[in-house]
Amino acid sequence: MKWEAVIGLEAHVQLSTETKLFSRASTTFGDEANTNVNLVDCGLPGVLPTVNKNAFYKAVKFGLAIDASINKVSIFDRKNYFYPDLPKGYQITQMEKPILEGGSIEINIDGLKRKINITRAHLEEDAGKSIHEGFKGTGIDLNRSGTPLLEIVSEPELRSSQEAVAYMKELHKIVTFLDVSDGEMSQGSLRCDANVSIRQKGETELGTRTEIKNINSFKFIEKAIEYEIKRQIAVLESKEKVEQETRLYDSIKNETRPMRSKEFANDYRYFPEPDLLPVVITDKEINDIKKHFPEMPKEKSIRYVQEFGISESDSSIISNSKNLSNFFEDCIKIVNDKVLLAKILVGDISSLLNKDAKEITDTNFTPENITQLINLISDGTISGKIAKDVLDQIRLKNIEPYEYIKEKGLTQISDEDAIERIILEILAKNPEQVEAYNNGKDKLFGFFVGQVMKATQGKANPKSVNLILKKALSNKHT
Amino acid sequence: MTIQFLTISQLSDLLKNKKISYEELVDETFLLIKKYSSINSFITLNQKQALIDAKKLNVSNDQNSLTGIPIAQKDLFCTKGLKTTCGSKMLSNFVPPYDATVVSNLNSAGTICIGKTNMDEFAMGSSNETSFYGNVHNPWKEGFVPGGSSGGSAAAVAAGLVPAATGTDTGGSIRQPAALCGLTGIKPTYGRVSRWGMIAFASSLDQGGPICRNAEDCALLLDAMSGYDEKDTTSLKIDPTKINNNINEPLEHLNIGIVREFKQSDLSVDSQQLFSNTIKEFENLGAKISEISLPNIVQSVPTYYVVAPAECSSNLSRYDGVKYGYRSSNADDLESLYVNSRSEGFGEEVKRRILMGTYVLSSGYYDAYYKKAQQVRRLIKNDFGNAFKEVDVILTPTSPSQAFEFGSKGKKDPTELYLEDLYTISANLAGLPALSMPNGFINGLPVGVQLIGNYLDEEKILKLGHYFQKETDHHLKKPNLEGFA
């Protein structure tokens, strides 16, 4: 029997506004518990919400990026339920009239492109946090209470855990490029609920779905969905029924488990929030957002190739990451050899970033020290090999390339007379190899280069070495 | 010299002419309050702070009409550092860290907050009998209700303890107690007065306003209370009213409408007679009286009793024993903390309305109740819109009955009390300003009449009320308080 998975995602994106959605308390992450809380956030008797228009602008920006239709009049609703970290006993959200409807996000798996349609995206406030450690009982931290969220609901058009991850990565890219969110998954800025069901291939009806709540990393999205698909297939293959339920993913045991029914069996009693008037977005406001719309990865990628002549593959890698492309654009103003810059960013620097699992913004690399390095390479002062060493030293000790090269005497030898002298010495020391080379053993060329580099501690300009070595060997031949 | 029963303007003159000092006025006020404490109009007194505030005024000595005037605040306006209970056990220990906008507006106008008045629990009731802090006596007759929910405010003013008090009106809670206590009270246009710091009952209906001895004082107080507040997005972006300065300007060619659908037969014979007399009095003042139709007005009570409980069920969810307010000591897990704190902390009427509201919002019932009620509400609003094309002001009785004996209504059937709001509710549903003022007495108990104005027409109804009061003396009568002293 051939099974097919049907997956829809509800992504929660924390908007990077300075203040909360309905109060002017700060949204800073990681501060001491209950310090970014005002009267409104703790739901005191008599308080009222006021709308943060910046959250709307960010939502509209996202809408424009995914080609959604923007509801110019959007209405808030109350979702009523009791929970200790929900101070008002209801969450202000958008039910009937979300800010965005429709639109799509394109995913790309191994060159295969697919459009995933978006159902809707609505604004809502985040809840606080219950803290169970270090307390007798439970503590409540309301710092997060009221932080603006954009909940983005996809159509059930994803067919595998890989597609789900690709979708979330694409979403991450969009919201970070737009500066709609910082996208920090480890801080909960981007998280999702996954609705998963399976059916036999060719079937058009949807199977019974389960909802996996609150998954907060790409890896866990993949694993949780993977597990859930396998679990549901096993249930169906043993002729049992999948229960419609809400499940939690346990990343330690790598399994999903049903939540206690009390935790979600709510009738939320939605009704329009009477404390807030409908929020109107004008055409002028939308046009202002359009006017200041940031350049998106696709446009960047094309521009980099056209403007700086870098390769398409380098360009696409750089432009797909907000941090890398920002870095690239900062360097480009001061670097002459743009092609080399792109190569080093995508090559040596990226592999160091991968090694440390860091973003470039969290390292010692700066546009200044990388520009120094690129200039040192392109004017022939240091070789590529030395450059690798310099990068590592920046990474570990935050050295200044110019000073470091000078101090360590790593300047490349470009003096051709000096190089010729060394080469002739080496050839004289190795008559047997010279003869073998001249008898057609071309591979020995590398041996001679190696000897030269050894003698110069890698500082000889490789181009000059190649040129002079060839000439010297052919002289020996005649 | 006694200050009892004096109006704001009279007290202001005494202060201006140095016949009494700010401190003396405050002291006298507390003597009166203590003398008549059996009326039970106050929940919390603010004596210490009131004296400090009065002393401060001696220094500044900048006498405006409201400077140094003692005011009682209904106990659902948050007062910084002063207990605010909302008439409930649930908030019996709640001391707000902030002032309601109404409170800070009145404070900056120079008034002195004397204390917090008794009220129906969370403003749910028409007789002040749902208060956790006991019944309030109507100063006109011991053992009789002052009306509600702003019953303590009305009783305090009617007994002449303070010249004015704030109230809130969700379905008649300013006007009905004003009527039952022989006072003048106005519910302003929805959005005229900020709701920031006014503990919510039904957000789309709640509106604060004054209860005073006459329309002139109401104008003075409304001018100080009203105005746009950025902290309340439903407050209207308009300047505070400036009615008191113009209150004596003449009113010309005024058309007054009488509602065809309010049947005279709903009233007692005596009330019918009083209402007819009032119509004649207005005619004598030069107004043109005509009949208008509000076809959907008969639906107001059922509509209100869907919308208000729905909003209340949500607004009162925050009282869960977790953060502030009453917490049950019989709780061993989260579920029992919620259930027991709310079961023990709320009174019967509040629980009844939370249940009703929860029911009408439940999935499967929402369309049939809440959505339908909102549709009817729109129809009622439209009816008023049409009526105000023909007339300037609509005249109705304020309440179908006079003050009644404690416990005599609503015991078997709570909806009996809901009908108290028959004439007042529609102004809340439509968001219109409406004033109640005394128009006579039956068996020694005051009767009130209501003037409903068009959107933002507070000036018109207050002027008309003032005009009426210049020519009549119903509002000048005082109760005999011997039994309370």
Side-chain angles (χ1 to χ4, degrees):
Chain A
M1 225 179 278
K2 272 291 193 181
W3 298 101
E4 173 183 66
V6 178
I7 303 157
L9 294 181
E10 292 168 18
H12 293 86
V13 178
Q14 256 182 24
L15 303 179
S16 53
T17 51
E18 303 250 311
T19 61
K20 295 184 176 178
L21 184 51
F22 301 115
S23 92
R24 301 298 79 83
S26 163
T27 54
T28 310
F29 178 83
D31 283 354
E32 195 186 325
N34 296 312
T35 51
N36 294 328
V37 176
N38 67 16
L39 304 175
V40 176
D41 304 315
C42 51
L44 277 188
V47 299
L48 297 167
T50 49
V51 165
N52 180 353
K53 208 74 189 274
N54 283 328
F56 272 84
Y57 296 152
K58 290 195 187 268
V60 167
K61 214 167 165 190
F62 176 76
L64 291 170
I66 65 160
D67 206 17
S69 72
I70 295 157
N71 279 324
K72 286 177 194 155
V73 178
S74 66
I75 292 171
F76 282 102
D77 297 281
R78 288 187 187 176
K79 178 181 181 179
N80 294 283
Y81 65 97
F82 286 98
Y83 209 71
D85 60 19
L86 189 72
K88 300 189 294 295
Y90 56 83
Q91 178 196 33
I92 307 177
T93 177
Q94 296 186 312
M95 178 69 176
E96 288 278 320
K97 230 160 193 266
I99 174 91
L100 304 174
E101 289 179 90
S104 65
I105 289 176
E106 191 180 80
I107 58 169
N108 183 341
I109 292 181
D110 303 331
L112 221 75
K113 288 179 183 169
R114 219 153 76 70
K115 242 187 197 176
I116 306 301
N117 287 301
I118 302 300
T119 316
R120 54 181 278 156
H122 64 258
L123 283 162
E124 62 186 25
E125 56 178 345
D126 211 341
K129 271 183 193 161
S130 301
I131 301 167
H132 301 284
E133 290 104 42
F135 276 98
K136 189 178 168 242
T138 300
I140 308 288
D141 177 8
L142 294 177
N143 279 354
R144 202 179 66 179
S145 165
T147 298
L149 293 178
L150 187 66
E151 178 173 331
I152 301 156
V153 183
S154 84
E155 289 287 310
E157 295 178 347
L158 298 159
R159 291 290 173 265
S160 67
S161 58
Q162 292 78 13
E163 284 196 351
V165 171
Y167 169 87
M168 283 300 282
K169 283 191 170 161
E170 195 59 33
L171 186 62
H172 180 268
K173 194 165 85 187
I174 296 170
V175 295
T176 52
F177 265 93
L178 291 174
D179 195 23
V180 158
S181 171
D182 63 19
E184 295 285 354
M185 296 184 86
S186 58
Q187 299 176 5
S189 294
L190 178 63
R191 49 192 203 258
C192 77
D193 303 338
N195 288 296
V196 180
S197 66
I198 55 166
R199 63 185 174 194
Q200 288 189 36
K201 264 196 182 144
E203 179 67 61
T204 50
E205 296 277 306
L206 290 169
T208 307
R209 70 185 162 86
T210 60
E211 183 180 11
I212 314 168
K213 280 272 182 207
N214 221 3
I215 329 175
N216 63 0
S217 85
F218 294 131
K219 196 173 89 190
F220 294 161
I221 291 169
E222 180 160 8
K223 286 190 161 176
I225 293 175
E226 203 58 46
Y227 175 90
E228 187 56 20
I229 292 171
K230 280 192 189 132
R231 188 190 70 84
Q232 289 190 17
I233 290 174
V235 169
L236 290 184
E237 287 188 340
S238 60
K239 304 278 180 234
E240 283 171 49
K241 274 185 183 164
V242 172
E243 291 288 326
Q244 179 162 350
E245 62 188 359
T246 306
R247 301 177 72 89
L248 275 182
Y249 176 66
D250 179 338
S251 60
I252 295 163
K253 292 187 180 162
N254 186 32
E255 61 177 28
T256 67
R257 278 197 304 271
M259 286 171 82
R260 283 184 300 129
S261 60
K262 258 187 192 165
E263 289 179 78
F264 65 91
N266 268 311
D267 178 353
Y268 291 120
R269 293 170 283 124
Y270 286 98
F271 76 105
E273 164 59 286
D275 284 336
L276 289 169
L277 300 177
V279 179
V280 179
I281 294 277
T282 62
D283 286 330
K284 189 186 169 294
E285 285 170 308
I286 295 176
N287 283 332
D288 279 351
I289 294 167
K290 276 184 187 160
K291 238 184 263 165
H292 301 104
F293 211 73
E295 191 182 27
M296 297 301 282
K298 254 189 198 166
E299 300 152 4
K300 272 192 201 296
S301 184
I302 294 167
R303 180 168 67 87
Y304 291 169
V305 173
Q306 287 176 346
E307 216 169 293
F308 310 121
I310 70 176
S311 78
E312 270 180 41
S313 67
D314 285 354
S315 179
S316 123
I317 290 169
I318 293 169
S319 56
N320 265 320
S321 151
K322 189 180 182 205
N323 287 332
L324 268 189
S325 64
N326 278 350
F327 194 91
F328 178 74
E329 287 178 25
D330 285 341
C331 291
I332 220 81
K333 296 167 202 155
I334 35 182
V335 160
N336 290 324
D337 194 341
K338 278 117 183 155
V339 177
L340 183 61
L341 168 67
K343 251 189 207 149
I344 287 198
L345 268 181
V346 172
D348 295 337
I349 292 181
S350 286
S351 56
L352 288 177
L353 294 177
N354 284 341
K355 192 166 152 191
D356 295 343
K358 274 186 177 170
E359 287 289 316
I360 196 159
T361 42
D362 304 324
T363 65
N364 291 332
F365 300 126
T366 64
E368 288 70 34
N369 58 33
I370 296 304
T371 301
Q372 279 188 19
L373 181 78
I374 302 287
N375 290 343
L376 285 169
I377 303 169
S378 54
D379 70 8
T381 310
I382 60 170
S383 64
K385 193 165 166 253
I386 298 285
K388 271 195 188 73
D389 173 45
V390 175
L391 271 177
D392 217 34
Q393 292 302 314
I394 298 174
R395 166 177 164 256
L396 297 171
K397 296 182 186 152
N398 200 15
I399 53 95
E400 278 266 302
Y402 286 156
E403 273 175 32
Y404 179 75
I405 295 295
K406 222 164 82 188
E407 205 175 284
K408 296 269 168 181
L410 293 175
T411 309
Q412 179 166 270
I413 301 168
S414 298
D415 179 342
E416 297 198 352
D417 289 344
I419 292 174
E420 191 175 12
R421 228 178 297 131
I422 293 163
I423 286 176
L424 290 177
E425 243 170 64
I426 286 167
L427 295 187
K429 274 187 197 162
N430 298 288
E432 285 168 25
Q433 280 82 352
V434 172
E435 200 178 325
Y437 177 83
N438 285 335
N439 287 337
K441 214 170 174 190
D442 291 348
K443 277 184 188 163
L444 278 168
F445 190 79
F447 165 78
F448 295 119
V449 173
Q451 291 297 311
V452 177
M453 286 304 176
K454 202 173 154 191
T456 59
Q457 288 145 341
K459 290 184 284 185
N461 182 330
K463 260 190 202 158
S464 311
V465 172
N466 278 349
L467 224 77
I468 299 168
L469 187 60
K470 259 187 196 148
K471 216 160 78 189
L473 282 168
S474 66
N475 284 344
K476 286 272 169 191
H477 191 49
T478 51
Chain B
M1 173 182 56
T2 176
I3 55 150
Q4 195 176 11
F5 297 117
L6 296 187
T7 63
I8 294 178
S9 342
Q10 288 166 333
L11 287 172
S12 193
D13 282 343
L14 290 181
L15 288 166
K16 210 175 285 173
N17 301 323
K18 312 258 190 247
K19 295 261 169 66
I20 191 170
S21 74
Y22 298 115
E23 287 146 278
E24 283 165 352
L25 180 51
V26 168
D27 280 334
E28 285 289 318
T29 301
F30 281 104
L31 284 177
L32 280 175
I33 290 171
K34 268 158 210 168
K35 185 173 176 192
Y36 297 108
S37 62
S38 69
I39 295 173
N40 198 27
S41 52
F42 284 88
I43 293 173
T44 306
L45 295 178
N46 192 30
Q47 190 160 5
K48 221 170 129 192
Q49 186 61 42
L51 272 169
I52 294 170
D53 293 345
K55 280 199 181 104
K56 272 190 212 145
L57 290 175
N58 276 337
V59 182
S60 68
N61 209 12
D62 188 16
Q63 180 62 38
N64 296 310
S65 339
L66 287 174
T67 315
I69 300 297
I71 298 282
Q73 294 282 3
K74 185 175 182 180
D75 205 22
L76 61 54
F77 287 102
C78 285
T79 41
K80 190 173 179 178
L82 185 64
K83 198 170 69 169
T84 300
T85 70
C86 231
S88 181
K89 181 182 179 184
M90 185 56 94
L91 290 178
S92 49
N93 58 1
F94 177 62
V95 179
Y98 76 110
D99 275 331
T101 299
V102 161
V103 172
S104 55
N105 283 353
L106 286 174
N107 285 348
S108 42
T111 65
I112 291 175
C113 173
I114 291 299
K116 309 296 289 290
T117 58
N118 207 334
M119 55 179 284
D120 278 301
E121 185 180 12
F122 283 100
M124 297 172 201
S126 307
S127 62
N128 218 113
E129 292 172 294
T130 72
S131 170
F132 177 64
Y133 301 91
N135 287 349
V136 176
H137 293 273
N138 189 316
W140 293 89
K141 193 162 187 180
E142 203 183 332
F144 276 56
V145 305
S149 65
S150 314
S153 289
V157 180
L161 313 179
V162 282
T166 57
T168 59
D169 191 317
T170 307
S173 283
I174 287 175
R175 292 160 286 161
Q176 185 256 15
L180 268 53
C181 290
L183 301 169
T184 306
I186 182 168
K187 178 203 93 71
T189 304
Y190 184 80
R192 185 66 105 168
V193 171
S194 167
R195 292 187 297 115
W196 173 260
M198 207 177 101
I199 298 177
F201 160 15
S203 312
S204 73
L205 301 161
D206 295 345
Q207 187 61 197
I211 297 177
C212 304
R213 304 200 68 80
N214 60 37
E216 192 183 3
D217 282 0
C218 278
L220 195 57
L221 222 49
L222 181 62
D223 289 352
M225 290 167 78
S226 61
Y228 172 65
D229 179 8
E230 59 176 15
K231 293 200 282 298
D232 174 6
T233 57
T234 64
S235 81
L236 297 165
K237 284 192 179 161
I238 45 174
D239 289 335
T241 55
K242 286 193 189 93
I243 301 170
N244 189 254
N245 287 336
N246 319 325
I247 193 112
N248 285 309
E249 282 174 8
L251 281 167
E252 278 162 14
H253 312 298
L254 210 64
N255 290 311
I256 295 180
I258 308 293
V259 183
R260 184 182 304 150
E261 286 77 10
F262 287 151
K263 293 201 182 66
Q264 292 277 322
S265 54
D266 288 340
L267 296 172
S268 68
V269 177
D270 290 338
S271 298
Q272 286 176 37
Q273 190 55 51
L274 263 190
F275 190 62
S276 305
N277 292 348
T278 303
I279 292 173
K280 270 188 211 110
E281 281 168 326
F282 275 113
E283 272 178 326
N284 293 339
L285 292 174
K288 194 173 155 252
I289 308 287
S290 55
E291 200 176 66
I292 50 134
S293 174
L294 300 170
N296 296 290
I297 197 122
V298 291
Q299 302 297 338
S300 325
V301 175
T303 301
Y304 175 88
Y305 278 96
V306 171
V307 174
E311 293 181 9
C312 119
S313 73
S314 175
N315 282 333
L316 270 59
S317 293
R318 67 190 62 197
Y319 310 111
D320 55 7
V322 172
K323 311 159 289 276
Y324 47 74
Y326 178 77
R327 175 186 281 195
S328 171
S329 48
N330 316 309
D332 40 27
D333 60 6
L334 184 59
E335 181 83 7
S336 61
L337 175 73
Y338 285 151
V339 171
N340 295 339
S341 298
R342 288 169 67 80
S343 300
E344 296 160 20
F346 288 136
E348 287 310 305
E349 184 59 29
V350 169
K351 280 187 258 191
R352 180 179 295 119
R353 297 204 195 188
I354 290 174
L355 282 175
M356 280 197 286
T358 305
Y359 178 79
V360 299
L361 289 176
S362 298
S363 103
Y365 297 98
Y366 178 84
D367 286 354
Y369 291 101
Y370 190 79
K371 211 169 175 184
K372 181 63 64 77
Q374 290 293 17
Q375 287 161 353
V376 176
R377 186 176 179 181
R378 211 161 301 131
L379 295 177
I380 293 170
K381 221 180 225 178
N382 293 344
D383 284 354
F384 276 107
N386 292 331
F388 282 117
K389 284 176 194 156
E390 296 167 33
V391 296
D392 299 291
V393 173
I394 294 169
L395 180 72
T396 78
T398 304
S399 168
S401 64
Q402 285 76 61
F404 46 89
E405 210 172 343
F406 290 159
S408 66
K409 276 194 186 180
K411 272 274 172 297
K412 279 190 195 135
D413 179 6
T415 60
E416 192 186 355
L417 262 175
Y418 296 174
L419 292 173
E420 278 293 300
D421 307 329
L422 181 65
Y423 299 111
T424 45
I425 268 174
S426 56
N428 299 84
L429 289 171
L432 298 168
L435 168 143
S436 175
M437 60 181 178
N439 69 328
F441 290 80
I442 296 171
N443 301 327
L445 289 172
V447 180
V449 73
Q450 175 177 232
L451 298 171
I452 304 174
N454 201 352
Y455 209 53
L456 296 177
D457 262 354
E458 283 87 349
E459 181 160 342
K460 207 176 269 175
I461 54 176
L462 281 166
K463 272 182 178 169
L464 184 59
H466 179 59
Y467 196 36
F468 181 83
Q469 290 178 339
K470 279 204 284 196
E471 305 296 324
T472 56
D473 65 354
H474 313 295
H475 64 291
L476 298 176
K477 303 250 162 67
K478 292 163 197 167
N480 177 352
L481 298 179
E482 266 169 34
F484 295 110

